[in-house]
Amino acid sequence: MRSREVSFDSDASAELRFAGELAPLVRRSGHDGMVRYPVRRRASIKDVVEALGVPHTEIYGVRVEGREAHWDHLLAPGASVMLLPAEPPVDPTRPTSLRPHALPRLRFVVDENVAGLALLLRALGFDAAYDRTWDDEAVADLASRERRFVLSRDRGLLKRGAVQWGRLVRSQDPDGQLAEVVALLGITEAPAPFLRCLRCNALTEPVDKELILHRLEPKTRKYFNEFRLCRECNRIYWRGSHHGHLLYRLEAAGVKIG
Ligand SMILES: [Zn+2]
C-alpha cells in the first residue's frame, strides 16, 4: 500500500469546490467546501461527488476549469471543479442542462424520515405521495414512474439514478422542513389550501351536513355548517380549531393561504 500512496503526487489530485450550502454536506472537506480528490481511477463527476457524500439532487451546476460540464465528465488529474447549489426559486417543471427531463407538474413523494411534510404539503393542496411501508426502492420507483420530486433526509435514496429531482431536507422538524421546501421552490401561495385529504392525499369534496350529521360531535354539529369529505378514506373535514392551528403553521412557513 505504501508504494501505491507514494506513486500519487499532488498532480494526481483534482480540486473540487462545493459552493454555498453544499459545503457542509461534503465529507473530508474543510468549512470552505474544498476537497483535494485523488484521481486513482476513471470516475465521472457524479461518481466522485456522491462518493464525497453529496447526492446529485443537491447540485445545480458543474464547472470544470470554469466551463459548464455534465455528470458524465471524467475527472482528470489536476482538474479544478466547481459544484454549484440550487439558486432558489428552483422550478422543476423547466428542464436544465443537468436535468433535461423536467417534471410535468410539481408533485412530491415524501420519504418516511420527513413524514410530517406530507401532511403539510397536502394541506397546501400539493399532491404528496407518502406511505410508511415504502422502502427506498419503492420511493425511487414512484418518483421515476410518476415524475415526482423526492423529499428525504436519506442521502442513499437521493443518490439513486431513478431519482432526478429532489431535496436532501436539512431541517429536523416538519415546520422547518416546510419552510425549507417552499423557499427552495419559491412557493408563495398555496395552490389549493385545505382541499386535499391530509390522511390519504385524495381530493376532498363538499358534503351536505345532513348526510354526515350522525358522525359529528354535538359541538361540531352546533357551530359548523361547511364540511368536506374524502371519498377514499371517508374522513370529514371542517374548519375547527385544528384548522386554525394548521393555517398558522402553513403561514409561518411563508406561504400565503387564499
Ligand atoms: Zn382520505
Side-chain angles (χ1 to χ4, degrees), residues 100-174:
H101 303 289
L103 302 181
R105 60 201 158 98
L106 186 54
R107 295 192 297 177
F108 298 94
V109 55
V110 176
D111 193 12
E112 193 191 3
N113 49 41
V114 289
L117 264 178
L119 178 140
L120 295 170
L121 289 167
R122 288 170 183 172
L124 292 175
F126 287 104
D127 180 338
Y130 163 71
D131 187 319
R132 67 187 173 84
T133 67
W134 291 340
D135 60 9
D136 280 9
E137 190 171 0
V139 172
D141 280 355
L142 187 74
S144 168
R145 206 169 56 244
E146 297 190 354
R147 317 289 307 283
R148 290 174 181 269
F149 192 97
V150 179
L151 297 171
S152 179
R153 288 177 58 79
D154 176 355
R155 297 185 190 214
L157 167 62
L158 295 168
K159 287 179 186 176
R160 285 174 177 252
V163 175
Q164 286 206 349
W165 294 89
R167 166 78 177 180
L168 180 70
V169 177
R170 274 46 157 206
S171 183
Q172 305 265 7
D173 70 289

Side-chain angles (χ1 to χ4, degrees), residues 12-16 28 35-39 41 47-48 51-52 75:
S13 298
E15 188 179 81
L16 284 85
R28 284 195 250 164
V35 186
R36 290 205 71 82
Y37 190 85
V39 183
R41 59 185 175 92
D47 290 343
V48 171
L52 290 168
L75 194 65

Side-chain angles (χ1 to χ4, degrees), residues 10 19 25 46 50 102 105 116 121 125 128 142 151 179 192 194 196 202 205 231 233 244:
S10 61
L25 300 179
K46 180 173 185 286
E50 296 196 329
R105 60 201 158 98
L121 289 167
L142 187 74
L151 297 171
F194 305 110
R196 201 171 273 280
E205 313 173 354
R231 299 267 176 212
C233 74

Side-chain angles (χ1 to χ4, degrees), residues 197 199-202 230 232-235 237:
C197 180
R199 182 156 67 190
C200 75
N201 198 37
C230 174
E232 292 290 325
C233 74
N234 215 27
R235 193 171 179 180
Y237 291 88

Side-chain angles (χ1 to χ4, degrees), residues 60-70 73 96-98:
Y60 285 78
V62 178
R63 305 279 183 275
V64 178
E65 318 306 340
R67 288 204 203 93
E68 190 173 339
H70 286 266
H73 186 99
T96 67
S97 62
L98 288 183

